[in-house]
Amino acid sequence: MAASSALPVRSAVQTSAPTASIVLAGRILYVLIFLMAGLGHYSKQTIGYAASQGVPMASILVPLSGVLALAGALSILLGYHANLGAWLIALFLIPVTFAMHKFWTVTDPMMMQMQMAMFMKNLSMLGGALLITQFGVGPLSLDARTKN
């Protein structure tokens, strides 16, 4: 494959109004889970569950992970320093995925399937965050307004 046929860089991508709207809708849908989950990271139940899963210093790390999830989600939602926001989401997802969804340690088949699904969901969302770090969040964003 010749270098000229490589994917265009984000500044060279031309988008139509309908495409920009779809990208915005996708961005909103993507961050909803982080906004909802991030808020839950301040509850005693979530902290207790994390502690039961072996998370050290859960009373500190769980709320801190909530800060990462909320800050990253808001950054992506608004499109303000979205590259950094996506890295915050990645930083949130990596330890949470491996600490909270250890399906390989579960003996109950039903729970194992549920934890595997949650593990794979988190990997999928990590993939989305990594794409955002490289391609941005589209033209309907605060970052795009400052480039014009």
Side-chain angles (χ1 to χ4, degrees), residues 61-112:
L61 292 178
V62 173
L64 181 62
S65 70
V67 170
L68 289 175
L70 289 170
L74 289 172
S75 173
I76 292 169
L77 177 65
L78 299 172
Y80 182 71
H81 296 285
N83 181 288
L84 175 61
W87 282 115
L88 290 175
I89 293 294
L91 187 61
F92 164 79
L93 283 169
I94 292 169
V96 167
T97 300
F98 288 94
M100 301 303 295
H101 303 299
K102 300 179 278 194
F103 66 91
W104 54 91
T105 66
V106 179
T107 56
D108 177 83
M110 188 84 91
M111 287 302 293
M112 181 181 168

Side-chain angles (χ1 to χ4, degrees), residues 118-132:
M118 297 295 279
F119 184 89
M120 297 307 294
K121 169 201 52 102
N122 281 16
L123 287 184
S124 175
M125 292 186 307
L126 177 60
L130 294 175
L131 285 170
I132 291 169

Side-chain angles (χ1 to χ4, degrees), residues 38 41-43 47 57-68:
H41 282 226
Y42 302 98
S43 74
I47 294 168
M57 301 184 305
S59 62
I60 295 169
L61 292 178
V62 173
L64 181 62
S65 70
V67 170
L68 289 175

Side-chain angles (χ1 to χ4, degrees), residues 139 141-148:
S141 65
L142 293 174
D143 286 343
R145 289 180 179 251
T146 60
K147 290 180 183 177
N148 293 332

Side-chain angles (χ1 to χ4, degrees), residues 39-52:
L39 292 172
H41 282 226
Y42 302 98
S43 74
K44 289 180 183 178
Q45 294 86 357
T46 302
I47 294 168
Y49 180 69
S52 77

